[in-house]
């Protein structure tokens, strides 16, 4: 099997992107691979010599978010296996799209509403809305672009802005820095985060190229949580997770940087939900953001994403398999993706 790995450092480069992991793994295992640039004009001709294309495209890159999906789908249509494929990538960094597909399969999610006209949003706020309610831009990660609307006045003001000039989806550097300082457990942890500041600044520069989000209002039911959320990752028949503490004086956890690994938080129900959805929707690799409703103890999925921090997941020190058995082997998601493709290729020979 010959593997193509996309890389274009001029368009986007980050220390945590999976292309670096894939390249290193192929070198160590002596797997036939080549680095390619999927933005080159002759990519469809060049890629014909490969069996697989791997591309960890990122939501901070304007060019990748605009064009990666169509390039990947076109390459898949000429008979080459791609990661991420259409099933996993068409709704990447689009909370509205995620809401639709999860509703379609009756997944356990908070109630959600999407409005495409100001009048419809205002009517809802005045006649049906239960406050507080969560407003989200369709794009953004790490709790960026998530607001808690506490009353009708705040909600209508937000709607008018979204149907006017809109809101900038670029992450807030001050917000991120403050969160990291507040949740650093010790000096070693603080230094480790400080080393990632250049990555974050570069990501902000890239994200600033995006236009304002406008022309819609997307709302989610407010779920009182238990002081944390869960990032649950499924790669084929393996599952890993991490827990993220809610910020002090906030309702959000994602992006705060306070991470723990209490395995008792991952119930058989949560594992079954994640495995079932991945199977039903054909996901090779998917991360699920769960909150647990403190009123009912029921888990709810608030977002999904094929891309995530695989290193943070590996710090769990192991994973569960489909039958619920625990294995003391960290789940390295990008490596696992290649391993699964190699097994699949061998079985098809």
């Amino acid at each position: 099997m010959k593997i193509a790995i996309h890389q274009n450092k001029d368009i986007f480069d980050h220390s945590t992107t999976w292309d670096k992991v894939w390249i290193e793994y192929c070198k160590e295992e002596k797997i036939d691979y080549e680095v390619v640039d999927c933005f080159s004009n002759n990519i469809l001709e060049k890629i014909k010599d490969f069996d697989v294309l791997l591309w960890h495209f990122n939501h901070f890159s304007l060019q990748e978010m605009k064009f990666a999906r169509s390039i990947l789908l076109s390459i898949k249509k000429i008979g080459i296996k791609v990661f991420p494929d259409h099933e996993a990538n068409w709704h990447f960094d689009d909370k509205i799209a995620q809401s639709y597909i999860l509703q379609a399969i009756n997944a356990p999610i908070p109630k959600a509403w999407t409005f495409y006209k100001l009048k419809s949003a205002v009517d809802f706020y005045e006649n049906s809305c239960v406050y507080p309610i969560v407003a989200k831009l369709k794009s953004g990660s790490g709790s960026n672009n998530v607001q808690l609307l506490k009353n009708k006045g705040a909600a209508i003001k937000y709607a008018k802005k979204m149907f006017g000039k809109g809101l900038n989806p670029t992450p807030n550097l001050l917000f991120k820095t403050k969160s990291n300082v507040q949740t650093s457990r010790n000096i070693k942890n603080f230094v480790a985060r400080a080393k990632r500041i250049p990555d974050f600044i570069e990501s902000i520069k890239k994200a600033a190229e995006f236009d304002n989000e406008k022309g819609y209002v997307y709302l989610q039911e407010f779920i009182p949580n238990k002081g944390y959320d869960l990032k649950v990752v499924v790669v084929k028949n393996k599952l890993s997770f991490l827990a993220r503490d809610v910020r002090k004086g906030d309702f959000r956890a994602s992006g705060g940087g306070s991470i723990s690994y209490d395995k008792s938080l991952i119930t058989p129900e949560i594992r079954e939900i994640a495995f079932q959805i991945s199977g039903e929707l054909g996901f090779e690799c998917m991360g699920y953001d769960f909150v647990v409703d403190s009123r009912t103890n029921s888990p709810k999925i608030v977002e999904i994403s094929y891309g995530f921090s695989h290193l943070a997941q590996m710090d769990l020190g192991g994973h569960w398999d489909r039958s619920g058995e625990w294995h003391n082997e960290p789940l390295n998601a990008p490596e696992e993706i290649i391993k699964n493709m190699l097994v699949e290729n061998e079985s098809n020979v």
Side-chain angles (χ1 to χ4, degrees):
M1 184 171 72
K2 188 175 182 181
I3 297 177
I5 301 171
H6 167 79
Q7 194 174 78
N8 184 318
K9 293 184 178 182
D10 291 329
I11 286 181
F12 191 78
D13 187 27
H14 195 283
S15 64
T16 62
T17 51
W18 293 356
D19 53 299
K20 300 170 181 62
V21 182
W22 288 325
I23 290 170
E24 188 61 30
Y25 183 78
C26 287
K27 287 179 179 177
E28 291 177 355
E29 299 298 320
K30 295 181 172 52
I31 297 170
D32 191 10
Y33 84 97
E34 185 176 323
V35 174
V36 301
D37 178 9
C38 288
F39 290 111
S40 60
N41 286 321
N42 64 340
I43 186 59
L44 290 180
E45 180 63 32
K46 186 174 183 179
I47 206 73
K48 288 179 180 179
D49 294 331
F50 295 89
D51 302 294
V52 169
L53 168 65
L54 305 174
W55 184 356
H56 186 203
F57 72 91
N58 194 283
H59 61 283
F60 285 125
S61 168
L62 176 66
Q63 290 87 351
E64 292 188 343
M65 289 304 296
K66 280 182 173 290
F67 306 114
R69 295 181 181 90
S70 58
I71 294 171
L72 283 163
L73 184 58
S74 299
I75 289 172
K76 182 178 179 180
K77 289 299 183 182
I78 62 176
I80 294 161
K81 186 172 178 61
V82 300
F83 176 85
D85 63 9
H86 183 69
E87 285 75 12
N89 74 42
W90 72 266
H91 44 72
F92 174 58
D93 199 37
D94 187 335
K95 299 175 183 65
I96 295 175
Q98 294 164 20
S99 175
Y100 282 134
I101 191 62
L102 292 173
Q103 286 182 59
I105 62 169
N106 296 314
I109 60 174
K111 294 178 182 177
W113 302 263
T114 308
F115 301 100
Y116 300 100
K117 292 291 183 180
L118 176 60
K119 184 180 183 303
S120 300
V122 172
D123 286 346
F124 174 75
Y125 288 140
E126 291 182 336
N127 301 308
S128 307
C129 186
V130 176
Y131 299 96
I133 195 162
V134 179
K136 296 184 175 184
L137 299 186
K138 71 181 185 66
S139 62
S141 65
S143 292
N144 291 311
N145 313 318
V146 179
Q147 297 185 31
L148 188 65
L149 306 178
K150 297 182 179 180
N151 53 57
K152 182 174 69 174
I156 292 176
K157 181 179 179 181
Y158 177 86
K160 288 181 176 178
K161 185 172 289 186
M162 286 300 295
F163 286 101
K165 67 178 181 180
L167 289 172
N168 190 327
T170 305
N172 186 303
L173 179 58
L174 180 61
F175 175 78
K176 179 67 174 179
T177 302
K178 183 180 178 182
S179 294
N180 280 340
V181 170
Q182 289 177 337
T183 57
S184 292
R185 295 181 293 275
N186 50 53
I187 188 64
K188 181 179 179 181
N189 185 246
F190 178 82
V191 171
R193 292 179 184 181
K195 289 180 179 178
R196 296 199 296 268
I197 289 176
D199 270 345
F200 186 67
I201 292 174
E202 182 62 23
S203 297
I204 288 179
K205 289 180 181 177
K206 292 292 186 181
E209 298 175 0
F210 287 81
D211 295 330
N212 279 7
E213 290 286 322
K214 59 183 179 179
Y216 67 91
V217 166
Y218 174 64
L219 305 171
Q220 271 188 357
E221 167 193 15
F222 173 65
I223 303 293
N225 59 58
K226 291 195 166 187
Y228 61 86
D229 76 0
L230 303 167
K231 171 69 78 174
V232 177
V233 165
V234 172
V235 185
K236 208 75 170 181
N237 294 313
K238 296 182 179 181
L239 182 148
S240 178
F241 94 102
L242 56 81
R244 301 174 291 200
D245 296 333
V246 170
R247 302 172 181 85
K248 185 178 180 180
D250 202 341
F251 71 102
R252 298 165 294 185
S254 176
S258 181
I259 296 173
S260 59
Y261 299 93
D262 181 355
K263 289 188 287 185
S264 68
L265 300 177
I266 301 298
T267 63
E269 179 185 13
I270 290 174
R271 296 198 302 268
E272 179 58 30
I273 289 170
F275 274 124
Q276 182 177 342
I277 293 174
S278 282
E280 187 167 351
L281 294 180
F283 297 152
E284 176 74 23
C285 170
M286 187 56 62
Y288 300 88
D289 287 3
F290 278 90
V291 295
V292 179
D293 192 325
S294 62
R295 302 163 298 185
T296 62
N297 284 326
S298 57
K300 303 286 186 181
I301 299 170
V302 293
E303 292 177 28
I304 61 176
S305 174
Y306 90 87
F308 44 84
S309 171
H310 72 287
L311 294 175
Q313 290 285 329
M314 289 180 66
D315 285 343
L316 174 63
H319 69 273
W320 287 274
D321 63 21
R322 189 67 176 80
S323 67
E325 183 177 351
W326 173 259
H327 301 266
N328 290 315
E329 177 189 353
L331 176 57
N332 185 327
E335 285 191 5
E336 193 69 20
I337 289 162
I338 290 188
K339 291 177 183 177
N340 290 336
M341 288 182 169
L342 289 169
V343 170
E344 182 178 333
N345 183 69
E346 291 175 359
S347 66
N348 291 332
V349 173

